[in-house]
Amino acid sequence: MRWRVGLLVLAAALLAGCVANDVEPINTHVTQVGPGSPDYIPDAPADGSTVVALSFSGGGTRATAFSYGVLRALDAVMVGSGGRAHTLIDEVRVVGGVSGGAVTAAYLGYKGRGYREL
C-alpha cells in the first residue's frame, strides 16, 4: 500500500512539472514587413511570365538524389533566346521539401546556382 502512495506522489510531482506560468507566444507581432533581400530573391532574368515552384518529397538519400536529378534536368532546359537565354533553374521562385527532399531544397535556397556542389 505504501508503494502505491509513493507512486501517486511521484506521478503528481511529475505532472506538476508540466505546469507553466509563461504561456505567451514567443513571436512578436510585426505591423510592417521589411524589404526582401535581393541576395536570396534575385530579379527574374526574363519577363516574369515563367515561374517555377518546386516541392520535393521525403525518403532519405533516395529523395535527395532524385531531387538533385530534377535540378540538373531543369538546369539543362534553356528558355528565352539571344541575350536573354537562361535555364529553368533561374526561374525557380519557391522551393520546399520534407525529409531527404528538404536537404536539396535547403541547399538550393542557400547556394542558388551553386547547388551542383551537393
Side-chain angles (χ1 to χ4, degrees), residues 28-86:
T28 59
H29 180 68
V30 177
T31 58
Q32 188 175 6
V33 178
S37 171
D39 295 335
Y40 296 102
I41 307 174
D43 291 333
D47 61 357
S49 62
T50 303
V51 175
V52 178
L54 302 173
S55 178
F56 297 131
S57 67
T61 307
R62 178 207 60 84
T64 302
F66 178 77
S67 54
Y68 179 78
V70 168
L71 294 179
R72 293 299 299 246
L74 289 174
D75 212 2
V77 177
M78 295 295 293
V79 292
S81 61
R84 292 192 156 284
H86 56 281

